[in-house]
Amino acid sequence: MIFVLRHAERADNSPFQDDQKDVKLNFDPHLTDLGILQSQLCALSIKKILETYNPNAKQVVYVSSPFLRCVQTVQYVNQQLGLNAIDNKLYVQTHVGEMLRSTWFEEDINKKLTQKTDQSLSQQVGLKIEEPFAQDERLIQQVYPEDKLGDFYDRFKVAYEVIVEKFLNTYNTEETVLIIVTHGFGVQVVLDKFNCFSFSDMVDYCSINAFDYRQESLPNKEYPFIPKICVRQQHDHVKQADNEFSKRKQQIAKF
């Protein structure tokens, strides 16, 4: 099975000023405490999905956008999921990174991201960070500024196809799952690829989308493969995280 997730809550979008003050790089914010809880509960939801659709899963390949919020989402999902990360690695793939709009970024910040500059990040995450997972001449390199949504769509769609193709050709997908952690627009591209995205939908933090590419599950057994869509935009765990976090805040306030 293949999972495509959006990252958890980012500090610069937090309503709490303390979260915003702690951001070290304004273009690469970390997860909030709520975001950490969202990631942990997301992992528990993935475990339940696997129990239903793929109970034989034993190990996982992680592929992430290079942005810190995505890398940290993998960190906390991995801590709770209970599957062995292959070679104890997290693969960072720039091709599934955020859209580099000039209204969001003043320059190409890929070389300045925490993943590139913090030598201790792998130790903090608990996985060896390596890049990329897939190399292929079909991949479209990210160019700044990336202001056209169509350019982002083309880049991300090709990247998703290349990553999935390598995964399916390399691993026994009955025992191994792939988890891709990216951004809202990236999730949108994947769902749109299978004609199951509505622009009225909101891609919530830690939104889970799960696809079954096993041969017996494929609606179309000839390339291009159309997977069985097992889960689309599941985010009940986000509401659960909000409720639990509010209770924690209330308990702290009492003291």
Side-chain angles (χ1 to χ4, degrees), residues 187-228:
V187 173
Q188 177 177 319
V189 171
V190 176
L191 293 177
D192 194 50
K193 171 180 169 65
F194 302 122
N195 298 316
C196 60
F197 179 80
S198 170
F199 282 97
S200 63
D201 291 344
M202 182 178 71
V203 181
D204 206 346
Y205 287 127
C206 277
S207 173
I208 299 175
N209 302 274
F211 309 95
D212 190 346
Y213 281 83
R214 289 174 294 182
Q215 192 68 23
E216 64 273 15
S217 302
L218 297 177
N220 175 18
K221 300 185 185 301
E222 296 183 1
Y223 187 83
F225 301 125
I226 300 174
K228 176 182 178 182

mmCIF file of all heavy atoms in Angstrom, residues 187-228:
data_model
loop_
_atom_site.group_PDB
_atom_site.id
_atom_site.type_symbol
_atom_site.label_atom_id
_atom_site.label_comp_id
_atom_site.label_asym_id
_atom_site.label_seq_id
_atom_site.Cartn_x
_atom_site.Cartn_y
_atom_site.Cartn_z
ATOM 1 N N VAL A 187 -0.829 16.691 -2.113
ATOM 2 C CA VAL A 187 -1.941 15.750 -1.914
ATOM 3 C C VAL A 187 -3.000 15.982 -2.982
ATOM 4 O O VAL A 187 -3.548 15.040 -3.568
ATOM 5 C CB VAL A 187 -2.548 15.917 -0.504
ATOM 6 C CG1 VAL A 187 -3.815 15.073 -0.355
ATOM 7 C CG2 VAL A 187 -1.529 15.541 0.568
ATOM 8 N N GLN A 188 -3.272 17.240 -3.259
ATOM 9 C CA GLN A 188 -4.264 17.598 -4.274
ATOM 10 C C GLN A 188 -3.892 17.028 -5.638
ATOM 11 O O GLN A 188 -4.751 16.501 -6.359
ATOM 12 C CB GLN A 188 -4.362 19.117 -4.348
ATOM 13 C CG GLN A 188 -5.306 19.648 -5.402
ATOM 14 C CD GLN A 188 -5.403 21.161 -5.374
ATOM 15 O OE1 GLN A 188 -5.450 21.769 -4.305
ATOM 16 N NE2 GLN A 188 -5.405 21.785 -6.542
ATOM 17 N N VAL A 189 -2.618 17.104 -6.000
ATOM 18 C CA VAL A 189 -2.164 16.587 -7.293
ATOM 19 C C VAL A 189 -2.427 15.091 -7.401
ATOM 20 O O VAL A 189 -2.931 14.599 -8.423
ATOM 21 C CB VAL A 189 -0.657 16.868 -7.502
ATOM 22 C CG1 VAL A 189 -0.143 16.141 -8.744
ATOM 23 C CG2 VAL A 189 -0.401 18.358 -7.639
ATOM 24 N N VAL A 190 -2.104 14.350 -6.345
ATOM 25 C CA VAL A 190 -2.284 12.891 -6.377
ATOM 26 C C VAL A 190 -3.761 12.533 -6.495
ATOM 27 O O VAL A 190 -4.148 11.683 -7.309
ATOM 28 C CB VAL A 190 -1.665 12.242 -5.126
ATOM 29 C CG1 VAL A 190 -1.951 10.736 -5.112
ATOM 30 C CG2 VAL A 190 -0.162 12.483 -5.078
ATOM 31 N N LEU A 191 -4.610 13.181 -5.717
ATOM 32 C CA LEU A 191 -6.037 12.887 -5.777
ATOM 33 C C LEU A 191 -6.620 13.293 -7.125
ATOM 34 O O LEU A 191 -7.475 12.596 -7.689
ATOM 35 C CB LEU A 191 -6.768 13.600 -4.645
ATOM 36 C CG LEU A 191 -6.444 13.116 -3.225
ATOM 37 C CD1 LEU A 191 -7.190 13.954 -2.194
ATOM 38 C CD2 LEU A 191 -6.801 11.645 -3.056
ATOM 39 N N ASP A 192 -6.168 14.421 -7.638
ATOM 40 C CA ASP A 192 -6.641 14.882 -8.944
ATOM 41 C C ASP A 192 -6.232 13.914 -10.052
ATOM 42 O O ASP A 192 -6.965 13.714 -11.023
ATOM 43 C CB ASP A 192 -6.092 16.277 -9.224
ATOM 44 C CG ASP A 192 -6.798 16.963 -10.384
ATOM 45 O OD1 ASP A 192 -8.037 16.994 -10.377
ATOM 46 O OD2 ASP A 192 -6.113 17.441 -11.306
ATOM 47 N N LYS A 193 -5.081 13.299 -9.889
ATOM 48 C CA LYS A 193 -4.592 12.316 -10.861
ATOM 49 C C LYS A 193 -5.580 11.162 -11.010
ATOM 50 O O LYS A 193 -5.746 10.604 -12.095
ATOM 51 C CB LYS A 193 -3.223 11.796 -10.391
ATOM 52 C CG LYS A 193 -2.651 10.620 -11.169
ATOM 53 C CD LYS A 193 -1.300 10.202 -10.596
ATOM 54 C CE LYS A 193 -0.827 8.879 -11.179
ATOM 55 N NZ LYS A 193 -0.562 8.958 -12.631
ATOM 56 N N PHE A 194 -6.249 10.813 -9.916
ATOM 57 C CA PHE A 194 -7.208 9.705 -9.946
ATOM 58 C C PHE A 194 -8.653 10.206 -9.958
ATOM 59 O O PHE A 194 -9.579 9.467 -9.621
ATOM 60 C CB PHE A 194 -6.973 8.783 -8.745
ATOM 61 C CG PHE A 194 -5.575 8.215 -8.702
ATOM 62 C CD1 PHE A 194 -4.759 8.426 -7.617
ATOM 63 C CD2 PHE A 194 -5.076 7.504 -9.778
ATOM 64 C CE1 PHE A 194 -3.463 7.919 -7.575
ATOM 65 C CE2 PHE A 194 -3.788 6.990 -9.755
ATOM 66 C CZ PHE A 194 -2.981 7.208 -8.646
ATOM 67 N N ASN A 195 -8.814 11.486 -10.328
ATOM 68 C CA ASN A 195 -10.147 12.084 -10.486
ATOM 69 C C ASN A 195 -10.996 11.966 -9.218
ATOM 70 O O ASN A 195 -12.204 11.706 -9.283
ATOM 71 C CB ASN A 195 -10.893 11.431 -11.664
ATOM 72 C CG ASN A 195 -10.187 11.649 -12.982
ATOM 73 O OD1 ASN A 195 -9.732 12.751 -13.276
ATOM 74 N ND2 ASN A 195 -10.061 10.591 -13.768
ATOM 75 N N CYS A 196 -10.342 12.150 -8.060
ATOM 76 C CA CYS A 196 -11.112 12.046 -6.817
ATOM 77 C C CYS A 196 -10.831 13.235 -5.905
ATOM 78 O O CYS A 196 -10.866 13.117 -4.687
ATOM 79 C CB CYS A 196 -10.827 10.732 -6.101
ATOM 80 S SG CYS A 196 -9.112 10.476 -5.637
ATOM 81 N N PHE A 197 -10.525 14.379 -6.519
ATOM 82 C CA PHE A 197 -10.340 15.593 -5.727
ATOM 83 C C PHE A 197 -11.361 16.629 -6.150
ATOM 84 O O PHE A 197 -11.581 16.853 -7.340
ATOM 85 C CB PHE A 197 -8.932 16.171 -5.896
ATOM 86 C CG PHE A 197 -8.713 17.432 -5.106
ATOM 87 C CD1 PHE A 197 -8.445 17.362 -3.759
ATOM 88 C CD2 PHE A 197 -8.793 18.683 -5.707
ATOM 89 C CE1 PHE A 197 -8.259 18.523 -3.008
ATOM 90 C CE2 PHE A 197 -8.606 19.848 -4.966
ATOM 91 C CZ PHE A 197 -8.338 19.759 -3.615
ATOM 92 N N SER A 198 -11.980 17.250 -5.153
ATOM 93 C CA SER A 198 -12.892 18.354 -5.408
ATOM 94 C C SER A 198 -12.286 19.618 -4.827
ATOM 95 O O SER A 198 -11.742 19.605 -3.715
ATOM 96 C CB SER A 198 -14.256 18.090 -4.752
ATOM 97 O OG SER A 198 -15.054 19.251 -4.801
ATOM 98 N N PHE A 199 -12.349 20.718 -5.560
ATOM 99 C CA PHE A 199 -11.754 21.959 -5.079
ATOM 100 C C PHE A 199 -12.513 22.513 -3.873
ATOM 101 O O PHE A 199 -12.039 23.433 -3.212
ATOM 102 C CB PHE A 199 -11.696 22.991 -6.197
ATOM 103 C CG PHE A 199 -10.573 22.754 -7.156
ATOM 104 C CD1 PHE A 199 -10.796 22.084 -8.355
ATOM 105 C CD2 PHE A 199 -9.283 23.159 -6.851
ATOM 106 C CE1 PHE A 199 -9.748 21.843 -9.232
ATOM 107 C CE2 PHE A 199 -8.233 22.923 -7.723
ATOM 108 C CZ PHE A 199 -8.465 22.261 -8.919
ATOM 109 N N SER A 200 -13.665 21.929 -3.560
ATOM 110 C CA SER A 200 -14.373 22.306 -2.347
ATOM 111 C C SER A 200 -13.813 21.568 -1.133
ATOM 112 O O SER A 200 -14.113 21.908 0.008
ATOM 113 C CB SER A 200 -15.873 22.004 -2.487
ATOM 114 O OG SER A 200 -16.087 20.613 -2.655
ATOM 115 N N ASP A 201 -12.991 20.538 -1.381
ATOM 116 C CA ASP A 201 -12.360 19.790 -0.292
ATOM 117 C C ASP A 201 -11.222 20.601 0.312
ATOM 118 O O ASP A 201 -10.560 21.375 -0.366
ATOM 119 C CB ASP A 201 -11.778 18.461 -0.795
ATOM 120 C CG ASP A 201 -12.857 17.471 -1.197
ATOM 121 O OD1 ASP A 201 -14.021 17.690 -0.804
ATOM 122 O OD2 ASP A 201 -12.544 16.506 -1.901
ATOM 123 N N MET A 202 -11.009 20.381 1.603
ATOM 124 C CA MET A 202 -9.852 20.991 2.246
ATOM 125 C C MET A 202 -8.866 19.884 2.599
ATOM 126 O O MET A 202 -9.253 18.865 3.163
ATOM 127 C CB MET A 202 -10.263 21.722 3.526
ATOM 128 C CG MET A 202 -9.102 22.415 4.228
ATOM 129 S SD MET A 202 -9.596 23.314 5.717
ATOM 130 C CE MET A 202 -9.952 21.954 6.821
ATOM 131 N N VAL A 203 -7.609 20.066 2.216
ATOM 132 C CA VAL A 203 -6.588 19.095 2.580
ATOM 133 C C VAL A 203 -6.101 19.464 3.973
ATOM 134 O O VAL A 203 -5.265 20.344 4.146
ATOM 135 C CB VAL A 203 -5.418 19.091 1.575
ATOM 136 C CG1 VAL A 203 -4.382 18.047 1.971
ATOM 137 C CG2 VAL A 203 -5.934 18.811 0.164
ATOM 138 N N ASP A 204 -6.645 18.805 4.982
ATOM 139 C CA ASP A 204 -6.351 19.147 6.358
ATOM 140 C C ASP A 204 -4.958 18.653 6.756
ATOM 141 O O ASP A 204 -4.363 17.816 6.076
ATOM 142 C CB ASP A 204 -7.401 18.527 7.289
ATOM 143 C CG ASP A 204 -7.569 19.294 8.588
ATOM 144 O OD1 ASP A 204 -6.700 20.143 8.894
ATOM 145 O OD2 ASP A 204 -8.565 19.061 9.296
ATOM 146 N N TYR A 205 -4.457 19.180 7.867
ATOM 147 C CA TYR A 205 -3.202 18.667 8.402
ATOM 148 C C TYR A 205 -3.295 17.162 8.621
ATOM 149 O O TYR A 205 -4.309 16.643 9.091
ATOM 150 C CB TYR A 205 -2.879 19.336 9.741
ATOM 151 C CG TYR A 205 -2.431 20.770 9.627
ATOM 152 C CD1 TYR A 205 -3.062 21.775 10.360
ATOM 153 C CD2 TYR A 205 -1.363 21.131 8.816
ATOM 154 C CE1 TYR A 205 -2.635 23.099 10.280
ATOM 155 C CE2 TYR A 205 -0.944 22.448 8.720
ATOM 156 C CZ TYR A 205 -1.583 23.419 9.458
ATOM 157 O OH TYR A 205 -1.164 24.719 9.364
ATOM 158 N N CYS A 206 -2.247 16.461 8.261
ATOM 159 C CA CYS A 206 -2.144 15.002 8.451
ATOM 160 C C CYS A 206 -3.262 14.233 7.747
ATOM 161 O O CYS A 206 -3.590 13.106 8.142
ATOM 162 C CB CYS A 206 -2.114 14.634 9.927
ATOM 163 S SG CYS A 206 -0.479 14.769 10.662
ATOM 164 N N SER A 207 -3.852 14.832 6.723
ATOM 165 C CA SER A 207 -4.863 14.127 5.935
ATOM 166 C C SER A 207 -4.255 12.853 5.359
ATOM 167 O O SER A 207 -3.172 12.876 4.784
ATOM 168 C CB SER A 207 -5.363 15.031 4.808
ATOM 169 O OG SER A 207 -6.215 14.333 3.938
ATOM 170 N N ILE A 208 -4.967 11.717 5.521
ATOM 171 C CA ILE A 208 -4.469 10.421 5.069
ATOM 172 C C ILE A 208 -5.169 10.021 3.784
ATOM 173 O O ILE A 208 -6.396 10.063 3.681
ATOM 174 C CB ILE A 208 -4.714 9.323 6.125
ATOM 175 C CG1 ILE A 208 -3.993 9.656 7.428
ATOM 176 C CG2 ILE A 208 -4.252 7.960 5.606
ATOM 177 C CD1 ILE A 208 -4.290 8.677 8.548
ATOM 178 N N ASN A 209 -4.371 9.604 2.815
ATOM 179 C CA ASN A 209 -4.884 9.034 1.569
ATOM 180 C C ASN A 209 -4.114 7.744 1.323
ATOM 181 O O ASN A 209 -2.887 7.726 1.391
ATOM 182 C CB ASN A 209 -4.679 10.008 0.414
ATOM 183 C CG ASN A 209 -5.354 11.344 0.687
ATOM 184 O OD1 ASN A 209 -6.523 11.518 0.415
ATOM 185 N ND2 ASN A 209 -4.606 12.294 1.251
ATOM 186 N N ALA A 210 -4.843 6.660 1.071
ATOM 187 C CA ALA A 210 -4.205 5.346 0.961
ATOM 188 C C ALA A 210 -4.643 4.654 -0.319
ATOM 189 O O ALA A 210 -5.830 4.629 -0.665
ATOM 190 C CB ALA A 210 -4.564 4.474 2.166
ATOM 191 N N PHE A 211 -3.662 4.075 -1.017
ATOM 192 C CA PHE A 211 -3.888 3.444 -2.311
ATOM 193 C C PHE A 211 -3.296 2.035 -2.316
ATOM 194 O O PHE A 211 -2.171 1.824 -1.860
ATOM 195 C CB PHE A 211 -3.247 4.277 -3.423
ATOM 196 C CG PHE A 211 -3.628 5.730 -3.382
ATOM 197 C CD1 PHE A 211 -2.816 6.657 -2.735
ATOM 198 C CD2 PHE A 211 -4.797 6.176 -3.964
ATOM 199 C CE1 PHE A 211 -3.154 7.996 -2.682
ATOM 200 C CE2 PHE A 211 -5.152 7.512 -3.920
ATOM 201 C CZ PHE A 211 -4.334 8.435 -3.280
ATOM 202 N N ASP A 212 -4.058 1.109 -2.862
ATOM 203 C CA ASP A 212 -3.608 -0.290 -2.939
ATOM 204 C C ASP A 212 -3.228 -0.601 -4.380
ATOM 205 O O ASP A 212 -4.078 -0.606 -5.267
ATOM 206 C CB ASP A 212 -4.734 -1.218 -2.463
ATOM 207 C CG ASP A 212 -4.260 -2.654 -2.276
ATOM 208 O OD1 ASP A 212 -3.164 -2.992 -2.760
ATOM 209 O OD2 ASP A 212 -4.998 -3.441 -1.647
ATOM 210 N N TYR A 213 -1.949 -0.854 -4.606
ATOM 211 C CA TYR A 213 -1.442 -1.138 -5.945
ATOM 212 C C TYR A 213 -1.213 -2.622 -6.178
ATOM 213 O O TYR A 213 -0.645 -2.996 -7.200
ATOM 214 C CB TYR A 213 -0.116 -0.406 -6.173
ATOM 215 C CG TYR A 213 -0.255 1.061 -6.513
ATOM 216 C CD1 TYR A 213 -0.413 2.011 -5.515
ATOM 217 C CD2 TYR A 213 -0.211 1.508 -7.831
ATOM 218 C CE1 TYR A 213 -0.516 3.364 -5.814
ATOM 219 C CE2 TYR A 213 -0.309 2.842 -8.142
ATOM 220 C CZ TYR A 213 -0.469 3.779 -7.135
ATOM 221 O OH TYR A 213 -0.566 5.114 -7.441
ATOM 222 N N ARG A 214 -1.623 -3.484 -5.254
ATOM 223 C CA ARG A 214 -1.410 -4.916 -5.456
ATOM 224 C C ARG A 214 -2.222 -5.400 -6.646
ATOM 225 O O ARG A 214 -3.351 -4.953 -6.869
ATOM 226 C CB ARG A 214 -1.784 -5.679 -4.186
ATOM 227 C CG ARG A 214 -0.780 -5.467 -3.042
ATOM 228 C CD ARG A 214 -1.232 -6.103 -1.764
ATOM 229 N NE ARG A 214 -2.435 -5.460 -1.252
ATOM 230 C CZ ARG A 214 -3.034 -5.813 -0.109
ATOM 231 N NH1 ARG A 214 -2.533 -6.795 0.612
ATOM 232 N NH2 ARG A 214 -4.114 -5.187 0.296
ATOM 233 N N GLN A 215 -1.668 -6.309 -7.396
ATOM 234 C CA GLN A 215 -2.221 -6.716 -8.681
ATOM 235 C C GLN A 215 -3.694 -7.096 -8.600
ATOM 236 O O GLN A 215 -4.506 -6.697 -9.443
ATOM 237 C CB GLN A 215 -1.414 -7.894 -9.249
ATOM 238 C CG GLN A 215 -1.711 -8.222 -10.706
ATOM 239 C CD GLN A 215 -1.241 -7.130 -11.671
ATOM 240 O OE1 GLN A 215 -0.353 -6.358 -11.340
ATOM 241 N NE2 GLN A 215 -1.839 -7.062 -12.843
ATOM 242 N N GLU A 216 -4.054 -7.850 -7.555
ATOM 243 C CA GLU A 216 -5.432 -8.320 -7.447
ATOM 244 C C GLU A 216 -6.408 -7.195 -7.126
ATOM 245 O O GLU A 216 -7.628 -7.353 -7.236
ATOM 246 C CB GLU A 216 -5.545 -9.418 -6.393
ATOM 247 C CG GLU A 216 -5.223 -8.988 -4.968
ATOM 248 C CD GLU A 216 -3.744 -9.075 -4.630
ATOM 249 O OE1 GLU A 216 -2.922 -9.187 -5.565
ATOM 250 O OE2 GLU A 216 -3.416 -9.018 -3.437
ATOM 251 N N SER A 217 -5.849 -6.033 -6.712
ATOM 252 C CA SER A 217 -6.710 -4.918 -6.326
ATOM 253 C C SER A 217 -6.880 -3.876 -7.425
ATOM 254 O O SER A 217 -7.680 -2.959 -7.281
ATOM 255 C CB SER A 217 -6.127 -4.230 -5.078
ATOM 256 O OG SER A 217 -6.009 -5.139 -4.009
ATOM 257 N N LEU A 218 -6.107 -3.986 -8.502
ATOM 258 C CA LEU A 218 -6.100 -2.947 -9.515
ATOM 259 C C LEU A 218 -7.359 -2.978 -10.383
ATOM 260 O O LEU A 218 -7.656 -3.982 -11.024
ATOM 261 C CB LEU A 218 -4.867 -3.093 -10.416
ATOM 262 C CG LEU A 218 -3.498 -2.935 -9.744
ATOM 263 C CD1 LEU A 218 -2.390 -3.192 -10.755
ATOM 264 C CD2 LEU A 218 -3.350 -1.564 -9.135
ATOM 265 N N PRO A 219 -8.116 -1.867 -10.418
ATOM 266 C CA PRO A 219 -9.262 -1.800 -11.330
ATOM 267 C C PRO A 219 -8.819 -1.910 -12.790
ATOM 268 O O PRO A 219 -9.505 -2.468 -13.628
ATOM 269 C CB PRO A 219 -9.871 -0.430 -11.043
ATOM 270 C CG PRO A 219 -9.357 -0.048 -9.692
ATOM 271 C CD PRO A 219 -7.992 -0.667 -9.600
ATOM 272 N N ASN A 220 -7.646 -1.329 -13.093
ATOM 273 C CA ASN A 220 -7.088 -1.382 -14.440
ATOM 274 C C ASN A 220 -5.725 -2.046 -14.347
ATOM 275 O O ASN A 220 -4.798 -1.492 -13.772
ATOM 276 C CB ASN A 220 -6.951 0.032 -15.015
ATOM 277 C CG ASN A 220 -6.265 0.024 -16.371
ATOM 278 O OD1 ASN A 220 -6.191 -1.011 -17.027
ATOM 279 N ND2 ASN A 220 -5.778 1.173 -16.794
ATOM 280 N N LYS A 221 -5.582 -3.261 -14.866
ATOM 281 C CA LYS A 221 -4.356 -4.028 -14.683
ATOM 282 C C LYS A 221 -3.289 -3.722 -15.729
ATOM 283 O O LYS A 221 -2.216 -4.303 -15.723
ATOM 284 C CB LYS A 221 -4.677 -5.528 -14.667
ATOM 285 C CG LYS A 221 -5.636 -5.915 -13.540
ATOM 286 C CD LYS A 221 -5.855 -7.403 -13.468
ATOM 287 C CE LYS A 221 -6.905 -7.753 -12.414
ATOM 288 N NZ LYS A 221 -6.544 -7.289 -11.069
ATOM 289 N N GLU A 222 -3.585 -2.826 -16.647
ATOM 290 C CA GLU A 222 -2.601 -2.413 -17.642
ATOM 291 C C GLU A 222 -2.122 -1.002 -17.320
ATOM 292 O O GLU A 222 -2.858 -0.177 -16.779
ATOM 293 C CB GLU A 222 -3.206 -2.455 -19.051
ATOM 294 C CG GLU A 222 -3.616 -3.862 -19.498
ATOM 295 C CD GLU A 222 -4.146 -3.880 -20.924
ATOM 296 O OE1 GLU A 222 -4.170 -2.802 -21.558
ATOM 297 O OE2 GLU A 222 -4.538 -4.953 -21.385
ATOM 298 N N TYR A 223 -0.850 -0.731 -17.665
ATOM 299 C CA TYR A 223 -0.278 0.580 -17.381
ATOM 300 C C TYR A 223 -0.985 1.659 -18.216
ATOM 301 O O TYR A 223 -1.308 1.407 -19.377
ATOM 302 C CB TYR A 223 1.217 0.571 -17.709
ATOM 303 C CG TYR A 223 1.921 1.827 -17.282
ATOM 304 C CD1 TYR A 223 2.357 1.984 -15.973
ATOM 305 C CD2 TYR A 223 2.121 2.868 -18.175
ATOM 306 C CE1 TYR A 223 2.988 3.141 -15.564
ATOM 307 C CE2 TYR A 223 2.753 4.039 -17.777
ATOM 308 C CZ TYR A 223 3.176 4.166 -16.467
ATOM 309 O OH TYR A 223 3.790 5.316 -16.065
ATOM 310 N N PRO A 224 -1.264 2.840 -17.658
ATOM 311 C CA PRO A 224 -0.918 3.266 -16.304
ATOM 312 C C PRO A 224 -1.865 2.661 -15.265
ATOM 313 O O PRO A 224 -3.088 2.675 -15.461
ATOM 314 C CB PRO A 224 -1.069 4.787 -16.354
ATOM 315 C CG PRO A 224 -2.102 5.017 -17.424
ATOM 316 C CD PRO A 224 -1.896 3.923 -18.430
ATOM 317 N N PHE A 225 -1.295 2.109 -14.220
ATOM 318 C CA PHE A 225 -2.086 1.442 -13.197
ATOM 319 C C PHE A 225 -2.964 2.439 -12.442
ATOM 320 O O PHE A 225 -2.522 3.509 -12.062
ATOM 321 C CB PHE A 225 -1.171 0.728 -12.208
ATOM 322 C CG PHE A 225 -0.286 -0.301 -12.843
ATOM 323 C CD1 PHE A 225 1.078 -0.258 -12.678
ATOM 324 C CD2 PHE A 225 -0.825 -1.322 -13.613
ATOM 325 C CE1 PHE A 225 1.908 -1.203 -13.260
ATOM 326 C CE2 PHE A 225 -0.013 -2.265 -14.209
ATOM 327 C CZ PHE A 225 1.355 -2.210 -14.033
ATOM 328 N N ILE A 226 -4.193 2.062 -12.250
ATOM 329 C CA ILE A 226 -5.099 2.840 -11.411
ATOM 330 C C ILE A 226 -5.305 2.041 -10.134
ATOM 331 O O ILE A 226 -5.866 0.942 -10.172
ATOM 332 C CB ILE A 226 -6.451 3.074 -12.109
ATOM 333 C CG1 ILE A 226 -6.232 3.837 -13.427
ATOM 334 C CG2 ILE A 226 -7.389 3.844 -11.196
ATOM 335 C CD1 ILE A 226 -7.492 3.987 -14.255
ATOM 336 N N PRO A 227 -4.831 2.522 -9.006
ATOM 337 C CA PRO A 227 -4.921 1.730 -7.783
ATOM 338 C C PRO A 227 -6.330 1.724 -7.202
ATOM 339 O O PRO A 227 -7.172 2.546 -7.566
ATOM 340 C CB PRO A 227 -3.960 2.462 -6.839
ATOM 341 C CG PRO A 227 -4.067 3.891 -7.272
ATOM 342 C CD PRO A 227 -4.208 3.840 -8.772
ATOM 343 N N LYS A 228 -6.536 0.810 -6.287
ATOM 344 C CA LYS A 228 -7.752 0.838 -5.490
ATOM 345 C C LYS A 228 -7.580 1.944 -4.455
ATOM 346 O O LYS A 228 -6.589 1.978 -3.725
ATOM 347 C CB LYS A 228 -7.957 -0.503 -4.787
ATOM 348 C CG LYS A 228 -9.165 -0.526 -3.859
ATOM 349 C CD LYS A 228 -9.286 -1.872 -3.162
ATOM 350 C CE LYS A 228 -10.459 -1.891 -2.197
ATOM 351 N NZ LYS A 228 -10.548 -3.193 -1.478
#
